[in-house]
Amino acid sequence: MDCRVFMAPCASYEPKLAEERIRQALDAFGGPKALLQKGNRVLIKPNLLTASRPEAGVTAHPALVEAAARQFVQAGAQVVIADSPGGPYNRRVMEKVYQACGMDQAAERSGAELNWDFSSRKRRFPGRVRQEFQLVTPADRADVIVSIGKLKTHMMMYFTGAVKNLYGLIPGVTKAAYHSQHSSREDFADLLVDLCQAIQPDFSILDGVIGMDGKGPSAGRPRQAGAIFAAQNPFAADLAAMIYCGLNPTLAPVHRQGQAQGLAPEDWGQLDILGQALTPLAEPFAPAIPARHARPFVAAMPHFLQPKLDQWLGAWPRFTSQCVGCGACVKACPRQALQIKQGRVRLKKRRCIKCYCCHELCPQKAVDL
């Protein structure tokens, strides 16, 4: 298991500082050319959850994406920037996302290309809960995959970082189908671990300059965390970031499942710190789910009981007065548990699996717990 993690302070997205930190992170692992020994087709996969402005803290910042892309372009690579946000995956949607998130400028300034291929391919992998994945075509074609995740809390998975970021390589509404098929937290965490193993990202960067706590991954509080993390093992990067933020890794299902499979280091003491060891934040990140809903003992229960316990103990989505009845959540729901009545959203509790996709993709931030 590779336990090396680069970490360094990064107080802002000022271009020269971003360039320096990304270069340092890559150099700590041998530089771009060490990765390009596998081939020169590079996919940079940023977290582009929604069409959000960079200052909202929801998506990977374009300054870091640009800096990473430039490093590989200068090393002679053909670089494509690609992601599949929640919901439809087509040119109209991606034009809006690329522009809002600043990816159009990041690509132009770095010499990279934006992905306009919206096809997908199947990849077989003997995972624990899934043996086949539908992946966006750029991921299947790439020789090298560089993930640029965002340091955020998560309503369903407790934390979203390097491993969870790879879910964006599942095309469009196929994500909703996978959510429906793997509805409990532990089962979905197993799915994410299988996906990470199937993709085998070559390098993972975590944008912790401005992260998000509270009701992440889209409706939380932007937090000045002031740090960059990088690793070849995405589980190691996530562990370092969680400890730095004052989050409890044992409450993160992906970390637990990764650790059980020998993929994730157990604790801080197992990490091999490159760069500069950072002191944890004085004010820890607030988790997305209130403490009364946190039930880590669910993981210790027999597997067949976990979905029922999750369903019983988890918080129900609640639609506040900010709801305008736009229907974005209805389209995002993997189990058709939502409908519009008299201009407002109504929840069918018997169908809800508490995946919180409605919360994650609501443009009005009108979904609460």
Side-chain angles (χ1 to χ4, degrees):
M1 183 197 310
D2 188 345
C3 295
R4 295 173 298 163
V5 178
F6 171 87
M7 57 175 63
C10 191
S12 75
Y13 294 111
E14 191 276 324
K16 288 185 178 180
L17 179 59
E19 191 86 28
E20 180 182 5
R21 289 293 182 260
I22 295 298
R23 179 185 55 77
Q24 290 173 341
L26 286 164
D27 285 350
F29 292 86
K33 291 189 176 180
L35 296 174
L36 294 180
Q37 292 177 10
K38 295 177 62 177
N40 72 338
R41 294 174 300 182
V42 175
L43 167 64
I44 291 186
K45 193 281 178 204
N47 181 323
L48 303 181
L49 176 65
T50 61
S52 299
R53 304 303 302 173
E55 57 270 19
V58 174
T59 56
H61 199 279
L64 300 181
V65 177
E66 176 186 342
R70 183 179 292 113
Q71 288 286 313
F72 285 98
V73 168
Q74 291 176 347
Q78 299 174 0
V79 180
V80 175
I81 299 170
D83 190 21
S84 171
Y89 180 50
N90 54 45
R91 189 177 189 96
R92 181 181 63 83
V93 169
M94 291 311 302
E95 283 179 344
K96 182 179 178 181
V97 169
Y98 287 149
Q99 184 175 10
C101 298
M103 293 301 120
D104 51 354
Q105 296 181 29
E108 182 180 355
R109 289 195 290 254
S110 66
E113 298 179 2
L114 295 175
N115 173 57
W116 301 110
D117 181 350
F118 305 112
S119 63
S120 62
R121 298 182 179 184
K122 291 182 180 179
R123 178 174 297 183
R124 299 188 183 280
F125 178 78
R128 292 182 64 178
V129 297
R130 196 165 196 93
Q131 286 70 51
E132 183 178 271
F133 289 97
Q134 198 77 19
L135 300 179
V136 299
T137 296
D140 192 64
R141 288 178 176 169
D143 300 312
V144 176
I145 294 180
V146 178
S147 166
I148 305 182
K150 191 75 172 176
L151 198 162
K152 299 184 291 183
T153 52
H154 196 276
M155 298 291 282
M156 184 184 188
M157 289 288 101
Y158 184 75
F159 177 79
T160 177
V163 177
K164 178 68 172 62
N165 187 45
L166 299 174
Y167 199 57
L169 295 179
I170 305 297
V173 295
T174 304
K175 295 188 195 65
Y178 287 3
H179 260 299
S180 180
Q181 294 161 14
H182 305 276
S183 57
S184 77
R185 285 176 175 82
E186 299 304 319
D187 198 34
F188 189 65
D190 270 332
L191 169 75
L192 293 175
V193 174
D194 283 352
L195 176 63
C196 186
Q197 288 289 86
I199 292 172
Q200 291 287 314
D202 297 277
F203 200 67
S204 296
I205 299 167
L206 273 181
D207 174 4
V209 181
I210 295 178
M212 177 174 285
D213 74 351
K215 296 172 183 178
S218 61
R221 173 181 62 162
R223 281 288 307 273
Q224 179 76 32
I228 294 289
F229 302 85
Q232 290 187 301
N233 178 355
F235 294 93
D238 283 352
L239 175 61
M242 280 189 279
I243 293 172
Y244 172 74
C245 291
L247 295 170
N248 183 351
T250 65
L251 297 180
V254 171
H255 174 75
R256 292 199 302 266
Q257 301 301 80
Q259 185 180 332
Q261 296 184 42
L263 304 171
E266 291 185 13
D267 52 40
W268 179 269
Q270 284 193 314
L271 295 176
D272 180 8
I273 304 300
L274 310 178
Q276 180 178 338
L278 301 176
T279 302
L281 294 173
E283 180 190 350
F285 269 37
I289 301 293
R292 66 182 182 276
H293 297 308
R295 298 291 189 270
F297 70 82
V298 170
M301 296 294 105
H303 194 272
F304 72 93
L305 287 177
Q306 290 175 9
K308 294 182 182 297
L309 289 170
D310 263 340
Q311 181 73 5
W312 180 47
L313 295 171
W316 295 105
R318 180 172 61 85
F319 299 86
T320 70
S321 59
Q322 292 175 258
C323 176
V324 297
C326 69
C329 59
V330 176
K331 295 177 183 177
C333 181
R335 295 295 288 269
Q336 294 79 52
L338 303 173
Q339 58 182 328
I340 303 290
K341 283 189 176 182
Q342 298 179 336
R344 295 291 301 276
V345 177
R346 297 292 183 266
L347 172 69
K348 302 176 184 178
K349 286 189 174 181
R350 61 185 176 83
R351 288 181 174 266
C352 179
I353 60 174
K354 299 177 181 176
C355 65
Y356 308 122
C357 287
C358 53
H359 168 274
E360 189 169 318
L361 299 176
C362 175
Q364 304 299 322
K365 300 184 178 181
V367 184
D368 204 350
L369 295 180

